[in-house]
Amino acid sequence: MLRTHSIAVLLLLFLLLHLLPSPTAHSAPRVQVRGHTTMRLTALEQRGDSLVVTGELLDRELRTGVPYRTVTVTALAGSRTHRQQLRTDKWGRFRLTLPGYTRGTLTISGSFPGDKQYASEDLKPRPLDISRQALDLRLVMDHELPVTRSAH
C-alpha cells in the first residue's frame, strides 16, 4: 500500500512538472513606453553664399535635448531639393549648411524616425523667405553724452 501511494505521488509530481505550463510562459505582460519628442527650427543664418539652418530635437516632457540621434532635414527651393541625415549633438541640436541658397522661399521639413526610447516625430514643412535678412543694429557712440535731469 505504501509503495502504491509513493508511485501515485511521483506520478502526480511528474504531471505537475511536465504537463502544466511553466511560470515563465505566463509571466506578466511586457509594456514598452517610449517618450515623445518635439523637433523644431531654432535659427536661419546667411553666411556668404550659404544658408545655415539650425534646429533641435527635444524630449517633449522634460524639455531637454535628445542627444546623438539621427534626424533627416529636407530643404526645398523651387525645383532644388536638399535632403540630409544629421546627428544631434550632446544637447540635441543639429545644423544643416545649404550652399547657394540666398534668395527666394525655402521650405524646411524634417523627421526623426524614432528608436527604442522615443517615438517618431515630424517637423511640418515650414516656408521661409530667405530674401529677408535679419537686421542687427548696434548703437556705437564716440563720446559720452551729457545726462541732464528734467524738472517735472
Coordinates of all heavy atoms in Angstrom, one line a residue, residues 8-65:
A8 N 1.9 6.9 -6.8 CA 0.9 7.9 -7.1 C 1.4 9.3 -6.9 O 1.2 10.2 -7.7 CB -0.4 7.6 -6.3
V9 N 2.2 9.5 -5.8 CA 2.7 10.8 -5.5 C 3.7 11.2 -6.6 O 3.8 12.3 -7.1 CB 3.3 10.9 -4.1 CG1 4.1 12.1 -3.9 CG2 2.2 10.7 -3.1
L10 N 4.6 10.3 -7.0 CA 5.6 10.5 -8.0 C 5.0 10.8 -9.3 O 5.4 11.7 -10.1 CB 6.6 9.3 -8.1 CG 7.6 9.2 -7.0 CD1 8.4 7.9 -7.2 CD2 8.5 10.4 -7.0
L11 N 3.9 10.1 -9.7 CA 3.2 10.3 -10.9 C 2.5 11.7 -10.9 O 2.6 12.5 -11.9 CB 2.1 9.2 -11.1 CG 1.4 9.3 -12.4 CD1 2.3 9.2 -13.6 CD2 0.3 8.2 -12.5
L12 N 2.0 12.1 -9.8 CA 1.3 13.4 -9.7 C 2.4 14.5 -9.8 O 2.2 15.5 -10.5 CB 0.6 13.5 -8.3 CG -0.1 14.8 -8.1 CD1 -1.2 15.1 -9.1 CD2 -0.7 14.9 -6.7
L13 N 3.6 14.4 -9.2 CA 4.6 15.3 -9.3 C 5.1 15.4 -10.8 O 5.4 16.5 -11.3 CB 5.8 15.0 -8.4 CG 5.7 15.3 -6.9 CD1 6.8 14.8 -6.1 CD2 5.6 16.8 -6.7
F14 N 5.2 14.3 -11.4 CA 5.6 14.3 -12.8 C 4.7 15.1 -13.7 O 5.0 15.9 -14.5 CB 5.8 12.9 -13.3 CG 6.1 12.8 -14.8 CD1 7.3 13.0 -15.3 CD2 5.0 12.5 -15.7 CE1 7.6 12.9 -16.6 CE2 5.3 12.5 -17.1 CZ 6.6 12.7 -17.5
L15 N 3.4 14.9 -13.5 CA 2.3 15.6 -14.2 C 2.4 17.1 -13.9 O 2.3 17.9 -14.9 CB 1.0 15.0 -13.9 CG 0.6 13.6 -14.4 CD1 -0.7 13.1 -13.9 CD2 0.6 13.6 -15.9
L16 N 2.6 17.4 -12.7 CA 2.7 18.9 -12.4 C 3.9 19.5 -13.0 O 3.8 20.6 -13.5 CB 2.7 19.0 -10.8 CG 1.4 18.8 -10.1 CD1 1.6 18.9 -8.6 CD2 0.4 19.8 -10.5
L17 N 5.0 18.9 -13.0 CA 6.2 19.5 -13.5 C 6.3 19.5 -15.0 O 6.8 20.4 -15.6 CB 7.4 18.7 -13.0 CG 7.7 18.9 -11.5 CD1 8.9 18.0 -11.1 CD2 8.0 20.3 -11.2
H18 N 5.7 18.5 -15.7 CA 5.9 18.4 -17.1 C 4.6 18.8 -18.0 O 4.8 19.1 -19.1 CB 6.3 17.0 -17.5 CG 7.7 16.7 -17.0 ND1 8.8 17.2 -17.5 CD2 8.1 15.9 -15.9 CE1 9.9 16.8 -16.8 NE2 9.5 16.0 -15.9
L19 N 3.5 18.7 -17.4 CA 2.3 18.9 -18.3 C 1.7 20.3 -18.0 O 1.0 20.8 -18.9 CB 1.3 17.8 -18.0 CG 1.8 16.4 -18.4 CD1 0.7 15.4 -18.1 CD2 2.1 16.3 -19.9
L20 N 1.9 20.8 -16.9 CA 1.3 22.1 -16.6 C 2.3 23.2 -17.2 O 3.5 23.0 -17.2 CB 1.1 22.4 -15.1 CG 0.1 21.5 -14.4 CD1 0.1 21.8 -12.9 CD2 -1.3 21.8 -15.0
P21 N 1.7 24.3 -17.6 CA 2.6 25.4 -18.2 C 3.5 25.9 -17.2 O 3.2 26.0 -16.0 CB 1.6 26.4 -18.6 CG 0.3 26.0 -18.3 CD 0.3 24.7 -17.6
S22 N 4.7 26.2 -17.6 CA 5.7 26.8 -16.7 C 5.4 28.2 -16.3 O 4.7 28.9 -17.0 CB 7.1 26.7 -17.4 OG 7.1 27.7 -18.4
P23 N 5.9 28.6 -15.1 CA 5.6 30.0 -14.7 C 6.1 31.1 -15.7 O 5.5 32.1 -15.8 CB 6.2 30.1 -13.3 CG 6.7 28.8 -13.0 CD 6.6 27.9 -14.2
T24 N 7.2 30.8 -16.3 CA 7.8 31.8 -17.3 C 6.9 31.9 -18.5 O 6.9 33.0 -19.1 CB 9.2 31.4 -17.7 OG1 9.2 30.1 -18.3 CG2 10.1 31.4 -16.5
A25 N 6.1 30.9 -18.9 CA 5.3 31.0 -20.0 C 4.1 32.0 -19.7 O 3.5 32.6 -20.6 CB 4.7 29.7 -20.4
H26 N 3.8 32.2 -18.5 CA 2.7 33.1 -18.1 C 3.2 34.2 -17.3 O 2.5 34.7 -16.3 CB 1.6 32.3 -17.3 CG 0.9 31.3 -18.2 ND1 0.1 31.6 -19.2 CD2 1.0 29.9 -18.2 CE1 -0.4 30.5 -19.7 NE2 0.1 29.5 -19.2
S27 N 4.3 34.8 -17.6 CA 4.8 35.9 -16.9 C 4.0 37.2 -17.2 O 3.2 37.2 -18.2 CB 6.3 36.2 -17.2 OG 6.4 36.4 -18.6
A28 N 4.2 38.2 -16.5 CA 3.4 39.4 -16.7 C 3.7 40.0 -18.0 O 4.8 39.8 -18.6 CB 3.8 40.4 -15.6
P29 N 2.7 40.7 -18.7 CA 2.9 41.2 -20.0 C 4.0 42.3 -19.9 O 4.1 43.0 -18.9 CB 1.6 41.8 -20.4 CG 0.8 41.9 -19.1 CD 1.4 40.9 -18.2
R30 N 4.8 42.4 -21.0 CA 5.8 43.4 -21.0 C 5.3 44.7 -21.8 O 4.8 44.6 -22.9 CB 7.0 42.9 -21.8 CG 8.2 43.8 -21.8 CD 9.3 43.1 -22.4 NE 10.4 44.1 -22.6 CZ 11.5 43.8 -23.3 NH1 11.7 42.7 -23.8 NH2 12.4 44.8 -23.4
V31 N 5.4 45.8 -21.1 CA 4.9 47.0 -21.7 C 6.1 47.9 -22.0 O 6.9 48.2 -21.1 CB 3.9 47.8 -20.7 CG1 3.5 49.1 -21.3 CG2 2.7 46.9 -20.4
Q32 N 6.2 48.4 -23.2 CA 7.2 49.4 -23.6 C 6.7 50.8 -23.7 O 5.7 51.0 -24.5 CB 7.9 48.9 -24.9 CG 9.1 49.8 -25.2 CD 9.7 49.3 -26.5 OE1 9.3 48.4 -27.2 NE2 10.8 50.0 -26.9
V33 N 7.2 51.7 -23.0 CA 6.7 53.1 -23.1 C 7.9 53.9 -23.7 O 9.0 53.8 -23.2 CB 6.4 53.6 -21.6 CG1 6.0 55.1 -21.7 CG2 5.3 52.8 -21.0
R34 N 7.5 54.6 -24.7 CA 8.5 55.5 -25.4 C 8.1 56.9 -25.2 O 7.0 57.3 -25.2 CB 8.6 55.2 -26.9 CG 9.0 53.7 -27.2 CD 9.4 53.5 -28.6 NE 8.4 53.8 -29.5 CZ 8.6 53.8 -30.8 NH1 9.7 53.4 -31.3 NH2 7.6 54.1 -31.6
G35 N 9.2 57.7 -25.0 CA 9.0 59.2 -24.8 C 8.6 59.8 -26.1 O 8.7 59.3 -27.2
H36 N 8.1 61.0 -26.0 CA 7.7 61.8 -27.2 C 8.7 63.0 -27.4 O 9.2 63.5 -26.4 CB 6.3 62.4 -27.0 CG 5.2 61.4 -27.0 ND1 4.7 60.8 -28.1 CD2 4.6 60.8 -25.9 CE1 3.8 59.8 -27.8 NE2 3.7 59.8 -26.5
T37 N 8.9 63.3 -28.6 CA 9.9 64.4 -28.9 C 9.2 65.5 -29.6 O 8.1 65.4 -30.2 CB 11.0 63.8 -29.8 OG1 10.4 63.3 -31.0 CG2 11.8 62.8 -29.1
T38 N 9.9 66.6 -29.7 CA 9.5 67.8 -30.5 C 10.7 68.2 -31.3 O 11.8 68.3 -30.8 CB 9.1 69.0 -29.6 OG1 8.0 68.6 -28.8 CG2 8.8 70.2 -30.4
M39 N 10.5 68.4 -32.6 CA 11.6 68.8 -33.5 C 11.2 70.2 -33.9 O 10.1 70.4 -34.4 CB 11.7 67.8 -34.7 CG 12.8 68.0 -35.5 SD 12.8 66.7 -36.8 CE 14.3 67.1 -37.7
R40 N 12.2 71.1 -33.8 CA 11.9 72.5 -34.2 C 13.2 73.2 -34.8 O 14.3 72.8 -34.5 CB 11.3 73.3 -33.1 CG 12.3 73.5 -31.9 CD 11.7 74.2 -30.8 NE 12.6 74.6 -29.8 CZ 12.4 75.2 -28.7 NH1 11.2 75.6 -28.5 NH2 13.3 75.5 -27.9
L41 N 12.9 74.2 -35.6 CA 14.0 75.0 -36.1 C 14.3 76.1 -35.1 O 13.3 76.6 -34.5 CB 13.6 75.7 -37.4 CG 13.3 74.7 -38.6 CD1 12.9 75.5 -39.8 CD2 14.5 73.9 -38.9
T42 N 15.5 76.4 -34.9 CA 15.9 77.5 -33.9 C 16.5 78.7 -34.6 O 16.5 79.8 -34.0 CB 16.8 76.9 -32.8 OG1 18.0 76.4 -33.5 CG2 16.1 75.9 -32.0
A43 N 17.2 78.6 -35.7 CA 17.8 79.7 -36.4 C 18.0 79.5 -37.9 O 18.1 78.3 -38.3 CB 19.2 80.0 -35.7
L44 N 18.0 80.5 -38.6 CA 18.3 80.5 -40.0 C 19.3 81.7 -40.2 O 19.0 82.8 -39.9 CB 17.0 80.8 -40.8 CG 17.0 80.6 -42.2 CD1 17.3 79.2 -42.6 CD2 15.6 81.0 -42.8
E45 N 20.5 81.4 -40.7 CA 21.5 82.4 -40.8 C 22.2 82.4 -42.2 O 22.6 81.3 -42.6 CB 22.5 82.2 -39.7 CG 23.6 83.2 -39.7 CD 24.7 82.8 -38.6 OE1 24.4 82.0 -37.7 OE2 25.7 83.4 -38.6
Q46 N 22.3 83.5 -42.8 CA 23.0 83.6 -44.1 C 24.5 83.8 -43.8 O 24.9 84.7 -43.1 CB 22.5 84.8 -44.9 CG 22.9 84.8 -46.3 CD 22.1 83.8 -47.1 OE1 20.9 83.7 -47.0 NE2 22.8 83.1 -48.0
R47 N 25.3 82.9 -44.4 CA 26.8 83.1 -44.2 C 27.4 83.0 -45.6 O 27.6 82.0 -46.2 CB 27.4 81.9 -43.4 CG 27.0 82.0 -42.0 CD 27.8 81.0 -41.2 NE 27.4 81.0 -39.8 CZ 27.6 80.1 -38.9 NH1 28.3 79.0 -39.3 NH2 27.2 80.1 -37.7
G48 N 27.7 84.2 -46.2 CA 28.2 84.3 -47.5 C 27.1 83.8 -48.5 O 26.0 84.3 -48.5
D49 N 27.5 82.8 -49.3 CA 26.5 82.3 -50.3 C 25.8 81.0 -49.8 O 25.2 80.3 -50.5 CB 27.2 82.1 -51.7 CG 28.1 80.9 -51.6 OD1 28.6 80.5 -50.5 OD2 28.5 80.3 -52.7
S50 N 26.0 80.8 -48.5 CA 25.3 79.6 -47.9 C 24.3 80.0 -46.8 O 24.4 81.1 -46.2 CB 26.4 78.7 -47.2 OG 27.2 78.2 -48.2
L51 N 23.4 79.2 -46.6 CA 22.4 79.3 -45.6 C 22.6 78.3 -44.5 O 22.7 77.1 -44.9 CB 21.0 79.2 -46.2 CG 19.8 79.6 -45.3 CD1 19.8 81.1 -45.0 CD2 18.5 79.2 -46.0
V52 N 22.6 78.6 -43.3 CA 22.8 77.7 -42.2 C 21.5 77.6 -41.4 O 21.0 78.6 -40.9 CB 24.0 78.1 -41.3 CG1 24.1 77.1 -40.1 CG2 25.3 78.2 -42.0
V53 N 21.0 76.4 -41.4 CA 19.7 76.1 -40.6 C 20.1 75.3 -39.4 O 20.7 74.3 -39.5 CB 18.7 75.3 -41.5 CG1 17.5 74.9 -40.8 CG2 18.5 76.0 -42.8
T54 N 19.6 75.8 -38.2 CA 19.9 75.0 -37.0 C 18.5 74.7 -36.4 O 17.5 75.4 -36.6 CB 20.7 75.8 -36.0 OG1 20.1 77.0 -35.7 CG2 22.1 76.0 -36.5
G55 N 18.5 73.6 -35.7 CA 17.3 73.1 -35.0 C 17.6 72.2 -33.9 O 18.8 72.0 -33.5
E56 N 16.6 71.7 -33.2 CA 16.8 70.8 -32.1 C 15.8 69.8 -32.0 O 14.6 69.9 -32.5 CB 17.0 71.6 -30.8 CG 15.8 72.4 -30.5 CD 16.0 73.4 -29.3 OE1 17.1 73.4 -28.8 OE2 15.1 74.2 -29.0
L57 N 16.1 68.7 -31.4 CA 15.2 67.6 -31.0 C 15.1 67.5 -29.5 O 16.1 67.3 -28.8 CB 15.8 66.2 -31.6 CG 14.9 65.0 -31.4 CD1 13.6 65.1 -32.2 CD2 15.6 63.7 -31.8
L58 N 13.9 67.8 -29.0 CA 13.7 67.9 -27.6 C 12.8 66.8 -27.0 O 11.9 66.3 -27.7 CB 13.0 69.2 -27.2 CG 13.8 70.5 -27.6 CD1 12.9 71.7 -27.3 CD2 15.1 70.6 -26.8
D59 N 13.1 66.3 -25.8 CA 12.2 65.5 -25.1 C 11.0 66.3 -24.7 O 11.1 67.4 -24.0 CB 12.9 64.9 -23.8 CG 12.0 64.0 -23.0 OD1 10.9 64.4 -22.6 OD2 12.4 62.8 -22.8
R60 N 9.8 66.0 -25.2 CA 8.6 66.8 -25.0 C 8.2 67.0 -23.5 O 7.8 68.1 -23.2 CB 7.4 66.2 -25.7 CG 6.3 67.1 -25.9 CD 5.1 66.5 -26.7 NE 5.6 66.2 -28.1 CZ 4.9 65.5 -28.9 NH1 3.7 65.0 -28.5 NH2 5.3 65.2 -30.1
E61 N 8.4 66.1 -22.7 CA 8.1 66.2 -21.3 C 9.1 66.9 -20.5 O 8.8 67.8 -19.7 CB 7.8 64.8 -20.7 CG 6.8 64.0 -21.4 CD 5.4 64.6 -21.6 OE1 5.0 65.3 -20.6 OE2 4.8 64.5 -22.6
L62 N 10.4 66.5 -20.7 CA 11.5 67.1 -19.9 C 12.0 68.4 -20.5 O 12.7 69.2 -19.8 CB 12.7 66.1 -19.8 CG 12.3 64.8 -19.2 CD1 13.5 63.8 -19.3 CD2 11.9 64.9 -17.8
R63 N 11.7 68.7 -21.7 CA 12.1 69.9 -22.4 C 13.7 70.0 -22.5 O 14.3 71.1 -22.4 CB 11.6 71.2 -21.8 CG 10.1 71.2 -21.7 CD 9.3 71.1 -22.9 NE 9.5 72.2 -23.8 CZ 9.1 72.1 -25.1 NH1 8.5 71.0 -25.6 NH2 9.3 73.1 -25.9
T64 N 14.3 68.9 -22.6 CA 15.8 68.8 -22.7 C 16.1 68.2 -24.1 O 15.3 67.5 -24.6 CB 16.4 67.9 -21.6 OG1 15.8 66.6 -21.6 CG2 16.2 68.6 -20.2
G65 N 17.3 68.5 -24.6 CA 17.7 68.0 -25.8 C 17.9 66.4 -25.8 O 18.2 65.9 -24.8

